[in-house]
C-alpha cells in the first residue's frame, strides 16, 4: 500500500518533537481528499532531510488544523543525491519555469536560482510579484518532493541578475574547500559535457546555468567565459529552454549523482 506523505516545516513540530501540526493545505488533503481518519498512519517530512512516521491524533473540522503524534524518525523514502547541484535558470514565461522546478526537484537538484537575463521572457516588476512567484514554486517543489520520495526540498533563491551571479554571486552557494564546477549551457561556442567534466572526477558540487528561449547575448557569453565558466553545448539540435534545463540536470546527476 502506498505511503501517504505530507510536508511540515521544522517549526510545525512541538518543542519536544512529540507532535506536529499540518498546515491548512496539507490538512485539507489528508482530511478531504484522502479521507483519512483518526489513528491512520502517515509520514511527514520537514524539507530539511528528516522524515517521521506519525499517527493522526485529532481531526477538527471546525478549523483547518490537524494534529499528528510523532511515532518515530524513519529513513527518507529516497536518499539525496551525492551531487550538490545548483540550477540557475533564466526566467521563463507561462508554466515553463514551473515545469523545471517540478522536474529538477524530482531529479535531485539542491537549489534553483531564477536569473534575470537580457532576453529573459519574464520581468518581475516588484517585490510582490517576486514573492508570489516564489510561493508558487515552493508549492510545486513540495508536491514534487512528496511524489518522488525526497525529504529535503531544493532551496529556491531570490531572482538575481545574470552578470552578478556568474561573476561573484555563485560563490555564496559553495561549500568551503569543495571543488565546484561552473557550467554555462549555450547553443553556441561550447564544448561537449564530457569534455567539460573530464577534469572534475569525482565531482561533488556543480552549478549549471541555462539561458532563456531567446538565447544568450554575446556580452553574457563573454562575461561568463571571462569569469572562468565552462561553456557546454548539448548536441547539434536547438532545445527549448525548459528542455535544456531538465536535460542539464539529468546529465549531471547521471555523471556525478545517483541517476545510474
Amino acid at each position: 500500500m502506498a505511503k501517504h506523505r505530507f510536508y511540515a516545516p521544522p517549526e510545525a513540530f512541538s518543542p519536544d518533537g512529540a507532535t506536529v501540526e499540518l498546515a491548512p493545505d496539507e490538512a485539507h488533503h489528508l482530511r478531504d481528499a484522502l479521507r483519512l481518519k483518526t489513528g491512520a498512519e502517515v509520514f511527514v517530512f520537514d524539507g530539511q532531510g528528516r522524515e517521521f512516521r506519525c499517527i493522526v491524533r485529532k481531526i477538527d473540522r471546525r478549523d483547518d488544523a490537524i494534529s499528528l503524534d510523532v511515532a518515530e524518525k524513519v529513513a527518507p523514502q529516497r536518499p539525496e543525491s551525492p551531487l550538490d547541484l545548483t540550477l540557475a535558470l533564466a526566467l521563463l514565461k507561462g508554466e515553463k519555469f514551473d515545469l523545471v522546478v517540478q522536474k529538477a526537484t524530482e531529479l535531485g537538484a539542491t537549489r534553483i536560482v531564477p536569473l534575470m537575463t537580457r532576453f529573459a521572457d519574464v520581468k518581475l516588476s516588484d517585490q510582490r510579484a517576486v514573492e508570489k512567484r516564489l510561493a508558487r514554486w515552493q508549492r510545486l517543489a513540495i508536491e514534487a518532493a512528496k511524489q518522488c520520495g525526497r525529504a529535503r526540498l531544493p532551496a529556491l533563491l531570490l531572482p538575481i541578475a545574470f552578470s552578478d551571479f556568474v561573476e561573484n554571486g555563485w560563490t555564496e552557494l559553495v561549500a568551503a574547500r569543495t571543488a565546484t564546477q561552473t557550467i554555462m549551457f549555450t547553443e553556441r561556442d561550447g564544448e561537449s559535457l564530457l569534455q567539460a567534466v573530464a577534469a572534475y572526477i569525482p565531482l561533488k558540487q556543480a552549478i549549471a546555468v541555462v539561458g532563456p528561449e531567446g538565447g544568450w547575448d554575446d556580452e553574457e557569453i563573454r562575461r561568463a567565459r571571462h569569469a572562468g565558466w565552462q561553456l557546454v553545448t548539448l548536441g547539434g539540435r536547438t532545445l527549448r529552454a525548459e528542455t535544456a534545463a531538465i536535460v542539464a540536470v539529468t546529465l549531471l546527476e547521471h555523471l556525478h549523482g545517483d541517476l545510474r
Side-chain angles (χ1 to χ4, degrees):
M1 184 170 59
K3 292 182 177 181
H4 297 301
R5 301 182 76 233
F6 298 88
Y7 165 69
E11 57 268 25
F13 289 77
S14 62
D16 61 2
T19 62
V20 59
E21 188 168 293
L22 297 183
D25 52 346
E26 294 287 272
H28 169 76
H29 183 63
L30 183 150
R31 181 186 61 218
D32 302 323
L34 296 176
R35 298 184 181 278
L36 298 180
K37 305 297 183 182
T38 301
E41 180 183 82
V42 299
F43 292 82
V44 177
F45 67 97
D46 67 354
Q48 303 296 312
R50 301 185 305 165
E51 186 153 346
F52 303 88
R53 183 175 68 86
C54 300
I55 305 298
V56 179
R57 178 165 62 91
K58 179 183 177 183
I59 297 178
D60 191 343
R61 292 188 177 275
R62 291 172 299 179
D63 57 39
D64 291 324
I66 289 183
S67 296
L68 311 175
D69 289 323
V70 177
E72 61 177 337
K73 184 179 179 181
V74 298
Q77 187 175 340
R78 295 290 182 269
E80 285 296 305
S81 169
L83 176 65
D84 184 315
L85 175 59
T86 298
L87 173 65
L89 174 64
L91 288 164
L92 305 176
K93 62 185 176 183
E95 297 181 351
K96 295 176 181 179
F97 202 99
D98 296 354
L99 175 66
V100 175
V101 169
Q102 180 189 66
K103 299 309 177 187
T105 300
E106 293 176 19
L107 291 166
T110 307
R111 61 191 65 80
I112 301 170
V113 184
L115 292 180
M116 295 176 287
T117 68
R118 180 177 179 185
F119 298 134
D121 300 308
V122 175
K123 307 296 182 185
L124 297 178
S125 56
D126 54 42
Q127 185 63 28
R128 184 176 180 181
V130 171
E131 292 174 354
K132 184 176 180 180
R133 292 262 180 171
L134 286 174
R136 175 174 175 79
W137 296 332
Q138 181 76 6
R139 289 195 301 271
L140 290 169
I142 290 170
E143 290 304 313
K146 289 166 65 175
Q147 180 274 323
C148 74
R150 291 185 70 178
R152 184 178 299 277
L153 294 174
L156 289 161
L157 278 63
L158 289 171
I160 183 174
F162 168 80
S163 58
D164 292 338
F165 184 77
V166 298
E167 290 175 2
N168 52 47
W170 66 272
T171 60
E172 300 177 3
L173 307 178
V174 303
R177 298 182 298 279
T178 298
T180 303
Q181 185 169 23
T182 53
I183 302 172
M184 178 181 183
F185 289 89
T186 174
E187 71 280 5
R188 64 187 190 279
D189 300 334
E191 58 186 337
S192 74
L193 182 59
L194 287 178
Q195 289 175 314
V197 302
Y200 286 84
I201 297 175
L203 180 65
K204 297 297 184 182
Q205 192 161 34
I207 301 178
V209 166
V210 179
E213 289 196 335
W216 295 113
D217 176 66
D218 289 341
E219 177 61 16
E220 290 172 330
I221 292 178
R222 188 198 67 78
R223 281 178 177 268
R225 193 189 299 276
H226 181 73
W229 288 66
Q230 290 184 280
L231 273 58
V232 168
T233 301
L234 294 170
R237 292 171 296 281
T238 300
L239 304 180
R240 292 182 182 273
E242 66 272 24
T243 305
I246 295 169
V247 168
V249 174
T250 302
L251 289 175
L252 288 168
E253 289 289 357
H254 173 67
L255 289 171
H256 302 289
D258 56 2
L259 291 180
R260 304 297 187 188

